[in-house]
Each structure stands twice: as C-alpha cells, then as structure tokens.
Amino acid sequence: MAGHFEPLPGGGAAVALDEVEIAILRSLAVQLLELIGPGEAPAEDEDPLAALFAEGPSEPPADPALARLFPEAYASEESEELRAKSAEFRRFTENDLRARKRDDALAVVHGLDALSPRGDGGAVLKLAADDSRHWLGALNDLRLTIATRLDITDEDEGGELYRLPDDDPRKPMVMAYLWLGVLQETLIETLMP
C-alpha cells in the first residue's frame, strides 16, 4: 500500500502516507484553496434560492493556472459570437465549478486532519467511495495547477523536466507532480469495477 491507493473491501480506497507526504498533500490542498478563492457566502437575510441564480464572472481568469482549472467553453478566439457564448456559459457555471473544486480540496484537508498518526508519524488514509471522488477531483486540480506552473502541456507531458538535475529549483514540483500522478492513477483503479 505504500505510495499508492489500494481498494478497500466494500468500496473506497486506502493509502499509507508518511509524515512528510501528509504535510505536502495538506500544503498543496491549502494552496489550491487559496488559488481558487473563498467563494461567496450568502448573507443571513438573503434568499437561499437567490444564491442558486447568482451570476459568476464572464471573463476568463488572468492567472494561467486558474484559466486551466476554469477553461473556456468554446474556442472564443474564433468569433465574437463564440466569445459571447463562452462568457455566458462561464457566467452561469463558474461559481458552481469553483464551489465543487473548493469542496474537493477541503475534503483532502479534512481527511488528512482526521488521520490518527502511527508511532512513526505516518498514517493510513481510508476513504469511502464518495470521499474518493472528492480526492480524485482535488488530485486532478493539483496536477493541472502544477503542470501549468511548470509549463507542461498535454503534448509533451514535461519530457525534459523529468531529467532535471537535483539542484534545479523546479525539481521538487516535478517530483510532486509525478507523485500526485501515481496517487491519481491508483485511486482511479480503485474506483473501477
């Protein structure tokens, strides 16, 4: 189980994490929460149904990592009509997408905070099936964010980055990216029938 998720009887998944891995995962999830932003809490006197119809932003985020997490619905550079459709789609969907991404990242933080450490400071994280889906979403968002920061594209998957010398300042993020990929892949395998 060390280093990868394994299925639990009756559904769910488990992974053994050491103290450093727990700290890294928690730190990355908190940074993701900070990147996504706090979200809007409805005022006490606000109609709860009004929050369902609140409009979000119509412009794509300026931060490249956020733009990757909240991509354009249509290739908007093609025409003014597609730009308008993309803005409208973003306005009505981005708030919900941000809330889901926040929930996923919070599930990671809460899951790690609830761990009971073993004598060596590590712990075994056990996830129910629903928690596994939150974790899968957060792992995906973390990898997309790191890939953006490292300029890894879908086409090259970072080829030269995997051969960085140990003194390169990008090396820790590349290692985190690869490790998160293993966690993501093995978690996906536990969810398959």
Side-chain angles (χ1 to χ4, degrees):
M1 183 182 333
H4 62 277
F5 279 98
E6 292 185 5
L8 288 174
V15 63
L17 299 168
D18 66 31
E19 192 173 9
V20 172
E21 292 169 330
I22 293 167
I24 290 170
L25 273 172
R26 190 179 192 293
S27 174
L28 290 172
V30 167
Q31 291 176 55
L32 181 61
L33 284 166
E34 291 170 355
L35 179 67
I36 293 169
E40 300 293 323
E44 269 186 46
D45 59 341
E46 185 178 352
D47 177 6
L49 289 176
L52 291 174
F53 298 103
E55 293 185 9
S58 59
E59 295 296 319
D63 183 310
L66 282 174
R68 187 126 183 227
L69 292 175
F70 304 104
E72 291 286 5
Y74 304 98
S76 61
E77 65 275 352
E78 304 220 356
S79 74
E80 189 62 39
E81 179 184 353
L82 287 179
R83 274 192 289 282
K85 285 182 179 183
S86 194
E88 183 177 1
F89 183 82
R90 179 177 299 283
R91 200 170 70 238
F92 292 113
T93 61
E94 188 169 313
N95 286 345
D96 289 340
L97 186 55
R98 278 183 186 267
R100 193 192 84 224
K101 290 180 181 297
R102 270 191 297 278
D103 289 347
D104 291 347
L106 280 171
V108 171
V109 172
H110 293 157
L112 294 172
D113 287 350
L115 288 176
S116 300
R118 301 179 306 225
D120 62 359
V124 174
L125 173 72
K126 294 182 180 179
L127 301 174
D130 286 344
D131 293 329
S132 294
R133 286 177 182 78
H134 284 294
W135 270 72
L136 190 56
L139 290 171
N140 185 61
D141 291 342
L142 287 169
R143 288 193 79 234
L144 285 173
T145 302
I146 292 171
T148 302
R149 298 292 190 232
L150 293 171
D151 290 325
I152 297 173
T153 63
D154 293 338
E155 294 81 35
D156 67 10
E157 272 296 310
E160 77 283 348
L161 289 175
Y162 301 148
R163 295 180 292 282
L164 290 175
D166 289 341
D167 61 346
D168 190 299
R170 298 171 295 171
K171 183 81 174 207
M173 288 310 295
V174 171
M175 298 306 293
Y177 176 77
L178 294 172
W179 175 56
L180 292 170
V182 170
L183 289 177
Q184 183 180 21
E185 183 178 336
T186 58
L187 185 54
I188 288 169
E189 289 170 1
T190 70
L191 295 172
M192 296 176 136

PDB file of all heavy atoms in Angstrom, residues 32 35-36 60-72 90 98 101 141-153:
ATOM      1  N   LEU A  32      -4.153  25.275  -3.090  1.00  0.00           N
ATOM      2  CA  LEU A  32      -5.203  25.204  -4.109  1.00  0.00           C
ATOM      3  C   LEU A  32      -6.439  25.979  -3.645  1.00  0.00           C
ATOM      4  O   LEU A  32      -7.042  26.730  -4.426  1.00  0.00           O
ATOM      5  CB  LEU A  32      -5.563  23.752  -4.413  1.00  0.00           C
ATOM      6  CG  LEU A  32      -6.626  23.521  -5.473  1.00  0.00           C
ATOM      7  CD1 LEU A  32      -6.201  24.079  -6.827  1.00  0.00           C
ATOM      8  CD2 LEU A  32      -6.945  22.037  -5.586  1.00  0.00           C
ATOM      9  N   LEU A  35      -5.777  29.582  -4.111  1.00  0.00           N
ATOM     10  CA  LEU A  35      -5.810  29.943  -5.526  1.00  0.00           C
ATOM     11  C   LEU A  35      -7.250  30.072  -6.028  1.00  0.00           C
ATOM     12  O   LEU A  35      -7.597  31.042  -6.708  1.00  0.00           O
ATOM     13  CB  LEU A  35      -5.058  28.896  -6.362  1.00  0.00           C
ATOM     14  CG  LEU A  35      -5.024  29.109  -7.864  1.00  0.00           C
ATOM     15  CD1 LEU A  35      -4.194  30.349  -8.208  1.00  0.00           C
ATOM     16  CD2 LEU A  35      -4.447  27.883  -8.557  1.00  0.00           C
ATOM     17  N   ILE A  36      -8.090  29.123  -5.670  1.00  0.00           N
ATOM     18  CA  ILE A  36      -9.487  29.126  -6.123  1.00  0.00           C
ATOM     19  C   ILE A  36     -10.263  30.290  -5.513  1.00  0.00           C
ATOM     20  O   ILE A  36     -11.114  30.880  -6.149  1.00  0.00           O
ATOM     21  CB  ILE A  36     -10.164  27.773  -5.802  1.00  0.00           C
ATOM     22  CG1 ILE A  36      -9.537  26.670  -6.654  1.00  0.00           C
ATOM     23  CG2 ILE A  36     -11.660  27.836  -6.035  1.00  0.00           C
ATOM     24  CD1 ILE A  36      -9.932  25.274  -6.238  1.00  0.00           C
ATOM     25  N   PRO A  60     -12.473  35.164 -18.591  1.00  0.00           N
ATOM     26  CA  PRO A  60     -11.602  34.097 -18.087  1.00  0.00           C
ATOM     27  C   PRO A  60     -10.593  34.670 -17.085  1.00  0.00           C
ATOM     28  O   PRO A  60     -10.233  35.837 -17.158  1.00  0.00           O
ATOM     29  CB  PRO A  60     -10.911  33.566 -19.337  1.00  0.00           C
ATOM     30  CG  PRO A  60     -11.092  34.597 -20.377  1.00  0.00           C
ATOM     31  CD  PRO A  60     -12.284  35.407 -20.013  1.00  0.00           C
ATOM     32  N   PRO A  61     -10.123  33.836 -16.147  1.00  0.00           N
ATOM     33  CA  PRO A  61      -9.142  34.309 -15.172  1.00  0.00           C
ATOM     34  C   PRO A  61      -7.828  34.703 -15.855  1.00  0.00           C
ATOM     35  O   PRO A  61      -7.436  34.116 -16.870  1.00  0.00           O
ATOM     36  CB  PRO A  61      -8.914  33.104 -14.259  1.00  0.00           C
ATOM     37  CG  PRO A  61      -9.976  32.122 -14.582  1.00  0.00           C
ATOM     38  CD  PRO A  61     -10.500  32.451 -15.929  1.00  0.00           C
ATOM     39  N   ALA A  62      -7.143  35.679 -15.273  1.00  0.00           N
ATOM     40  CA  ALA A  62      -5.853  36.121 -15.817  1.00  0.00           C
ATOM     41  C   ALA A  62      -4.737  35.152 -15.442  1.00  0.00           C
ATOM     42  O   ALA A  62      -3.791  34.962 -16.214  1.00  0.00           O
ATOM     43  CB  ALA A  62      -5.524  37.519 -15.311  1.00  0.00           C
ATOM     44  N   ASP A  63      -4.840  34.521 -14.282  1.00  0.00           N
ATOM     45  CA  ASP A  63      -3.816  33.578 -13.834  1.00  0.00           C
ATOM     46  C   ASP A  63      -3.887  32.332 -14.724  1.00  0.00           C
ATOM     47  O   ASP A  63      -4.946  31.715 -14.844  1.00  0.00           O
ATOM     48  CB  ASP A  63      -4.069  33.209 -12.374  1.00  0.00           C
ATOM     49  CG  ASP A  63      -3.014  32.284 -11.800  1.00  0.00           C
ATOM     50  OD1 ASP A  63      -2.696  31.252 -12.432  1.00  0.00           O
ATOM     51  OD2 ASP A  63      -2.511  32.581 -10.701  1.00  0.00           O
ATOM     52  N   PRO A  64      -2.768  31.923 -15.339  1.00  0.00           N
ATOM     53  CA  PRO A  64      -2.796  30.749 -16.227  1.00  0.00           C
ATOM     54  C   PRO A  64      -3.273  29.468 -15.544  1.00  0.00           C
ATOM     55  O   PRO A  64      -3.951  28.654 -16.161  1.00  0.00           O
ATOM     56  CB  PRO A  64      -1.354  30.618 -16.704  1.00  0.00           C
ATOM     57  CG  PRO A  64      -0.735  31.950 -16.480  1.00  0.00           C
ATOM     58  CD  PRO A  64      -1.463  32.570 -15.319  1.00  0.00           C
ATOM     59  N   ALA A  65      -2.930  29.290 -14.264  1.00  0.00           N
ATOM     60  CA  ALA A  65      -3.369  28.083 -13.561  1.00  0.00           C
ATOM     61  C   ALA A  65      -4.884  28.090 -13.376  1.00  0.00           C
ATOM     62  O   ALA A  65      -5.544  27.068 -13.575  1.00  0.00           O
ATOM     63  CB  ALA A  65      -2.663  27.964 -12.217  1.00  0.00           C
ATOM     64  N   LEU A  66      -5.440  29.241 -13.015  1.00  0.00           N
ATOM     65  CA  LEU A  66      -6.897  29.335 -12.886  1.00  0.00           C
ATOM     66  C   LEU A  66      -7.574  29.177 -14.242  1.00  0.00           C
ATOM     67  O   LEU A  66      -8.644  28.565 -14.341  1.00  0.00           O
ATOM     68  CB  LEU A  66      -7.298  30.670 -12.257  1.00  0.00           C
ATOM     69  CG  LEU A  66      -7.131  30.783 -10.752  1.00  0.00           C
ATOM     70  CD1 LEU A  66      -7.430  32.192 -10.276  1.00  0.00           C
ATOM     71  CD2 LEU A  66      -8.015  29.773 -10.035  1.00  0.00           C
ATOM     72  N   ALA A  67      -6.956  29.714 -15.284  1.00  0.00           N
ATOM     73  CA  ALA A  67      -7.520  29.559 -16.631  1.00  0.00           C
ATOM     74  C   ALA A  67      -7.545  28.085 -17.034  1.00  0.00           C
ATOM     75  O   ALA A  67      -8.446  27.648 -17.751  1.00  0.00           O
ATOM     76  CB  ALA A  67      -6.725  30.382 -17.635  1.00  0.00           C
ATOM     77  N   ARG A  68      -6.580  27.300 -16.544  1.00  0.00           N
ATOM     78  CA  ARG A  68      -6.575  25.870 -16.851  1.00  0.00           C
ATOM     79  C   ARG A  68      -7.619  25.131 -16.023  1.00  0.00           C
ATOM     80  O   ARG A  68      -8.215  24.169 -16.489  1.00  0.00           O
ATOM     81  CB  ARG A  68      -5.175  25.294 -16.593  1.00  0.00           C
ATOM     82  CG  ARG A  68      -5.018  23.863 -17.025  1.00  0.00           C
ATOM     83  CD  ARG A  68      -3.853  23.694 -17.941  1.00  0.00           C
ATOM     84  NE  ARG A  68      -3.733  22.344 -18.424  1.00  0.00           N
ATOM     85  CZ  ARG A  68      -2.596  21.667 -18.447  1.00  0.00           C
ATOM     86  NH1 ARG A  68      -1.483  22.239 -18.038  1.00  0.00           N
ATOM     87  NH2 ARG A  68      -2.569  20.445 -18.917  1.00  0.00           N
ATOM     88  N   LEU A  69      -7.842  25.594 -14.802  1.00  0.00           N
ATOM     89  CA  LEU A  69      -8.869  24.975 -13.959  1.00  0.00           C
ATOM     90  C   LEU A  69     -10.278  25.360 -14.396  1.00  0.00           C
ATOM     91  O   LEU A  69     -11.229  24.614 -14.184  1.00  0.00           O
ATOM     92  CB  LEU A  69      -8.665  25.377 -12.492  1.00  0.00           C
ATOM     93  CG  LEU A  69      -7.428  24.829 -11.801  1.00  0.00           C
ATOM     94  CD1 LEU A  69      -7.310  25.410 -10.391  1.00  0.00           C
ATOM     95  CD2 LEU A  69      -7.442  23.309 -11.756  1.00  0.00           C
ATOM     96  N   PHE A  70     -10.408  26.563 -14.980  1.00  0.00           N
ATOM     97  CA  PHE A  70     -11.708  27.073 -15.426  1.00  0.00           C
ATOM     98  C   PHE A  70     -11.593  27.485 -16.893  1.00  0.00           C
ATOM     99  O   PHE A  70     -11.601  28.666 -17.223  1.00  0.00           O
ATOM    100  CB  PHE A  70     -12.141  28.269 -14.556  1.00  0.00           C
ATOM    101  CG  PHE A  70     -12.172  27.943 -13.094  1.00  0.00           C
ATOM    102  CD1 PHE A  70     -11.168  28.392 -12.251  1.00  0.00           C
ATOM    103  CD2 PHE A  70     -13.190  27.172 -12.561  1.00  0.00           C
ATOM    104  CE1 PHE A  70     -11.187  28.083 -10.900  1.00  0.00           C
ATOM    105  CE2 PHE A  70     -13.213  26.857 -11.214  1.00  0.00           C
ATOM    106  CZ  PHE A  70     -12.210  27.305 -10.383  1.00  0.00           C
ATOM    107  N   PRO A  71     -11.464  26.506 -17.791  1.00  0.00           N
ATOM    108  CA  PRO A  71     -11.212  26.816 -19.208  1.00  0.00           C
ATOM    109  C   PRO A  71     -12.428  27.404 -19.917  1.00  0.00           C
ATOM    110  O   PRO A  71     -13.559  27.340 -19.422  1.00  0.00           O
ATOM    111  CB  PRO A  71     -10.846  25.457 -19.794  1.00  0.00           C
ATOM    112  CG  PRO A  71     -11.552  24.470 -18.925  1.00  0.00           C
ATOM    113  CD  PRO A  71     -11.578  25.076 -17.543  1.00  0.00           C
ATOM    114  N   GLU A  72     -12.153  27.950 -21.083  1.00  0.00           N
ATOM    115  CA  GLU A  72     -13.218  28.477 -21.940  1.00  0.00           C
ATOM    116  C   GLU A  72     -14.088  27.318 -22.430  1.00  0.00           C
ATOM    117  O   GLU A  72     -13.584  26.242 -22.726  1.00  0.00           O
ATOM    118  CB  GLU A  72     -12.619  29.194 -23.154  1.00  0.00           C
ATOM    119  CG  GLU A  72     -11.902  30.477 -22.821  1.00  0.00           C
ATOM    120  CD  GLU A  72     -12.851  31.611 -22.484  1.00  0.00           C
ATOM    121  OE1 GLU A  72     -14.081  31.408 -22.413  1.00  0.00           O
ATOM    122  OE2 GLU A  72     -12.359  32.719 -22.283  1.00  0.00           O
ATOM    123  N   ARG A  90     -19.646  30.774 -18.869  1.00  0.00           N
ATOM    124  CA  ARG A  90     -18.826  30.995 -17.678  1.00  0.00           C
ATOM    125  C   ARG A  90     -19.650  31.671 -16.578  1.00  0.00           C
ATOM    126  O   ARG A  90     -19.574  31.303 -15.410  1.00  0.00           O
ATOM    127  CB  ARG A  90     -17.608  31.847 -18.028  1.00  0.00           C
ATOM    128  CG  ARG A  90     -16.709  32.150 -16.839  1.00  0.00           C
ATOM    129  CD  ARG A  90     -15.488  32.946 -17.260  1.00  0.00           C
ATOM    130  NE  ARG A  90     -14.659  32.254 -18.210  1.00  0.00           N
ATOM    131  CZ  ARG A  90     -13.812  31.259 -17.916  1.00  0.00           C
ATOM    132  NH1 ARG A  90     -13.678  30.865 -16.676  1.00  0.00           N
ATOM    133  NH2 ARG A  90     -13.104  30.679 -18.855  1.00  0.00           N
ATOM    134  N   ARG A  98     -16.315  26.367  -9.118  1.00  0.00           N
ATOM    135  CA  ARG A  98     -15.401  26.795  -8.043  1.00  0.00           C
ATOM    136  C   ARG A  98     -15.813  26.160  -6.714  1.00  0.00           C
ATOM    137  O   ARG A  98     -14.968  25.707  -5.946  1.00  0.00           O
ATOM    138  CB  ARG A  98     -15.398  28.317  -7.906  1.00  0.00           C
ATOM    139  CG  ARG A  98     -14.514  29.005  -8.897  1.00  0.00           C
ATOM    140  CD  ARG A  98     -14.495  30.516  -8.675  1.00  0.00           C
ATOM    141  NE  ARG A  98     -13.752  31.172  -9.714  1.00  0.00           N
ATOM    142  CZ  ARG A  98     -12.460  31.474  -9.640  1.00  0.00           C
ATOM    143  NH1 ARG A  98     -11.781  31.194  -8.553  1.00  0.00           N
ATOM    144  NH2 ARG A  98     -11.853  32.065 -10.643  1.00  0.00           N
ATOM    145  N   LYS A 101     -14.743  22.541  -6.686  1.00  0.00           N
ATOM    146  CA  LYS A 101     -13.286  22.417  -6.522  1.00  0.00           C
ATOM    147  C   LYS A 101     -12.874  22.743  -5.090  1.00  0.00           C
ATOM    148  O   LYS A 101     -11.973  22.108  -4.540  1.00  0.00           O
ATOM    149  CB  LYS A 101     -12.563  23.291  -7.536  1.00  0.00           C
ATOM    150  CG  LYS A 101     -12.698  22.756  -8.963  1.00  0.00           C
ATOM    151  CD  LYS A 101     -11.983  23.635  -9.962  1.00  0.00           C
ATOM    152  CE  LYS A 101     -12.152  23.111 -11.376  1.00  0.00           C
ATOM    153  NZ  LYS A 101     -11.580  21.793 -11.605  1.00  0.00           N
ATOM    154  N   ASP A 141      -6.963  18.559  -9.986  1.00  0.00           N
ATOM    155  CA  ASP A 141      -6.767  20.011  -9.967  1.00  0.00           C
ATOM    156  C   ASP A 141      -5.342  20.377  -9.550  1.00  0.00           C
ATOM    157  O   ASP A 141      -4.748  21.307 -10.103  1.00  0.00           O
ATOM    158  CB  ASP A 141      -7.780  20.673  -9.030  1.00  0.00           C
ATOM    159  CG  ASP A 141      -9.195  20.604  -9.564  1.00  0.00           C
ATOM    160  OD1 ASP A 141      -9.379  20.362 -10.777  1.00  0.00           O
ATOM    161  OD2 ASP A 141     -10.134  20.794  -8.761  1.00  0.00           O
ATOM    162  N   LEU A 142      -4.794  19.649  -8.591  1.00  0.00           N
ATOM    163  CA  LEU A 142      -3.415  19.914  -8.166  1.00  0.00           C
ATOM    164  C   LEU A 142      -2.439  19.647  -9.307  1.00  0.00           C
ATOM    165  O   LEU A 142      -1.520  20.438  -9.559  1.00  0.00           O
ATOM    166  CB  LEU A 142      -3.055  19.060  -6.949  1.00  0.00           C
ATOM    167  CG  LEU A 142      -3.702  19.474  -5.637  1.00  0.00           C
ATOM    168  CD1 LEU A 142      -3.484  18.409  -4.563  1.00  0.00           C
ATOM    169  CD2 LEU A 142      -3.170  20.823  -5.178  1.00  0.00           C
ATOM    170  N   ARG A 143      -2.636  18.550 -10.014  1.00  0.00           N
ATOM    171  CA  ARG A 143      -1.739  18.226 -11.135  1.00  0.00           C
ATOM    172  C   ARG A 143      -1.859  19.258 -12.258  1.00  0.00           C
ATOM    173  O   ARG A 143      -0.864  19.664 -12.851  1.00  0.00           O
ATOM    174  CB  ARG A 143      -2.030  16.823 -11.671  1.00  0.00           C
ATOM    175  CG  ARG A 143      -1.562  15.747 -10.699  1.00  0.00           C
ATOM    176  CD  ARG A 143      -1.545  14.367 -11.306  1.00  0.00           C
ATOM    177  NE  ARG A 143      -0.353  14.237 -12.126  1.00  0.00           N
ATOM    178  CZ  ARG A 143      -0.359  13.873 -13.394  1.00  0.00           C
ATOM    179  NH1 ARG A 143      -1.491  13.607 -14.016  1.00  0.00           N
ATOM    180  NH2 ARG A 143       0.764  13.757 -14.067  1.00  0.00           N
ATOM    181  N   LEU A 144      -3.086  19.689 -12.561  1.00  0.00           N
ATOM    182  CA  LEU A 144      -3.262  20.709 -13.596  1.00  0.00           C
ATOM    183  C   LEU A 144      -2.569  22.017 -13.207  1.00  0.00           C
ATOM    184  O   LEU A 144      -1.926  22.663 -14.037  1.00  0.00           O
ATOM    185  CB  LEU A 144      -4.749  20.979 -13.840  1.00  0.00           C
ATOM    186  CG  LEU A 144      -5.517  19.931 -14.621  1.00  0.00           C
ATOM    187  CD1 LEU A 144      -7.011  20.257 -14.619  1.00  0.00           C
ATOM    188  CD2 LEU A 144      -4.998  19.822 -16.034  1.00  0.00           C
ATOM    189  N   THR A 145      -2.687  22.391 -11.949  1.00  0.00           N
ATOM    190  CA  THR A 145      -2.072  23.624 -11.474  1.00  0.00           C
ATOM    191  C   THR A 145      -0.553  23.540 -11.543  1.00  0.00           C
ATOM    192  O   THR A 145       0.111  24.454 -12.054  1.00  0.00           O
ATOM    193  CB  THR A 145      -2.525  23.925 -10.028  1.00  0.00           C
ATOM    194  OG1 THR A 145      -3.950  24.021 -10.012  1.00  0.00           O
ATOM    195  CG2 THR A 145      -1.921  25.207  -9.509  1.00  0.00           C
ATOM    196  N   ILE A 146       0.000  22.442 -11.057  1.00  0.00           N
ATOM    197  CA  ILE A 146       1.460  22.271 -11.096  1.00  0.00           C
ATOM    198  C   ILE A 146       1.946  22.204 -12.538  1.00  0.00           C
ATOM    199  O   ILE A 146       2.965  22.805 -12.885  1.00  0.00           O
ATOM    200  CB  ILE A 146       1.887  21.022 -10.303  1.00  0.00           C
ATOM    201  CG1 ILE A 146       1.617  21.249  -8.810  1.00  0.00           C
ATOM    202  CG2 ILE A 146       3.353  20.694 -10.544  1.00  0.00           C
ATOM    203  CD1 ILE A 146       1.789  20.009  -7.946  1.00  0.00           C
ATOM    204  N   ALA A 147       1.224  21.483 -13.394  1.00  0.00           N
ATOM    205  CA  ALA A 147       1.616  21.390 -14.806  1.00  0.00           C
ATOM    206  C   ALA A 147       1.650  22.768 -15.452  1.00  0.00           C
ATOM    207  O   ALA A 147       2.555  23.074 -16.236  1.00  0.00           O
ATOM    208  CB  ALA A 147       0.654  20.471 -15.561  1.00  0.00           C
ATOM    209  N   THR A 148       0.693  23.610 -15.117  1.00  0.00           N
ATOM    210  CA  THR A 148       0.667  24.966 -15.662  1.00  0.00           C
ATOM    211  C   THR A 148       1.872  25.757 -15.176  1.00  0.00           C
ATOM    212  O   THR A 148       2.529  26.445 -15.960  1.00  0.00           O
ATOM    213  CB  THR A 148      -0.638  25.685 -15.277  1.00  0.00           C
ATOM    214  OG1 THR A 148      -1.740  24.909 -15.761  1.00  0.00           O
ATOM    215  CG2 THR A 148      -0.697  27.074 -15.875  1.00  0.00           C
ATOM    216  N   ARG A 149       2.165  25.667 -13.897  1.00  0.00           N
ATOM    217  CA  ARG A 149       3.313  26.397 -13.335  1.00  0.00           C
ATOM    218  C   ARG A 149       4.633  25.916 -13.933  1.00  0.00           C
ATOM    219  O   ARG A 149       5.576  26.687 -14.060  1.00  0.00           O
ATOM    220  CB  ARG A 149       3.350  26.255 -11.818  1.00  0.00           C
ATOM    221  CG  ARG A 149       2.133  26.829 -11.101  1.00  0.00           C
ATOM    222  CD  ARG A 149       2.059  28.333 -11.206  1.00  0.00           C
ATOM    223  NE  ARG A 149       1.038  28.870 -10.321  1.00  0.00           N
ATOM    224  CZ  ARG A 149       0.092  29.688 -10.713  1.00  0.00           C
ATOM    225  NH1 ARG A 149       0.017  30.071 -11.970  1.00  0.00           N
ATOM    226  NH2 ARG A 149      -0.800  30.133  -9.863  1.00  0.00           N
ATOM    227  N   LEU A 150       4.699  24.628 -14.296  1.00  0.00           N
ATOM    228  CA  LEU A 150       5.919  24.064 -14.885  1.00  0.00           C
ATOM    229  C   LEU A 150       5.929  24.131 -16.412  1.00  0.00           C
ATOM    230  O   LEU A 150       6.871  23.659 -17.037  1.00  0.00           O
ATOM    231  CB  LEU A 150       6.086  22.598 -14.443  1.00  0.00           C
ATOM    232  CG  LEU A 150       6.377  22.364 -12.970  1.00  0.00           C
ATOM    233  CD1 LEU A 150       6.289  20.875 -12.653  1.00  0.00           C
ATOM    234  CD2 LEU A 150       7.743  22.921 -12.594  1.00  0.00           C
ATOM    235  N   ASP A 151       4.884  24.676 -17.010  1.00  0.00           N
ATOM    236  CA  ASP A 151       4.732  24.744 -18.468  1.00  0.00           C
ATOM    237  C   ASP A 151       4.707  23.370 -19.119  1.00  0.00           C
ATOM    238  O   ASP A 151       5.219  23.170 -20.215  1.00  0.00           O
ATOM    239  CB  ASP A 151       5.831  25.599 -19.112  1.00  0.00           C
ATOM    240  CG  ASP A 151       5.683  27.064 -18.789  1.00  0.00           C
ATOM    241  OD1 ASP A 151       4.529  27.532 -18.692  1.00  0.00           O
ATOM    242  OD2 ASP A 151       6.715  27.743 -18.609  1.00  0.00           O
ATOM    243  N   ILE A 152       4.086  22.407 -18.445  1.00  0.00           N
ATOM    244  CA  ILE A 152       3.899  21.073 -19.020  1.00  0.00           C
ATOM    245  C   ILE A 152       2.613  21.125 -19.824  1.00  0.00           C
ATOM    246  O   ILE A 152       1.566  21.508 -19.307  1.00  0.00           O
ATOM    247  CB  ILE A 152       3.805  19.987 -17.932  1.00  0.00           C
ATOM    248  CG1 ILE A 152       5.104  19.914 -17.143  1.00  0.00           C
ATOM    249  CG2 ILE A 152       3.463  18.635 -18.555  1.00  0.00           C
ATOM    250  CD1 ILE A 152       5.037  18.984 -15.941  1.00  0.00           C
ATOM    251  N   THR A 153       2.687  20.745 -21.079  1.00  0.00           N
ATOM    252  CA  THR A 153       1.495  20.721 -21.923  1.00  0.00           C
ATOM    253  C   THR A 153       1.056  19.276 -22.133  1.00  0.00           C
ATOM    254  O   THR A 153       1.794  18.339 -21.836  1.00  0.00           O
ATOM    255  CB  THR A 153       1.764  21.382 -23.291  1.00  0.00           C
ATOM    256  OG1 THR A 153       2.759  20.611 -23.970  1.00  0.00           O
ATOM    257  CG2 THR A 153       2.225  22.822 -23.124  1.00  0.00           C
TER     258      THR A 153
END
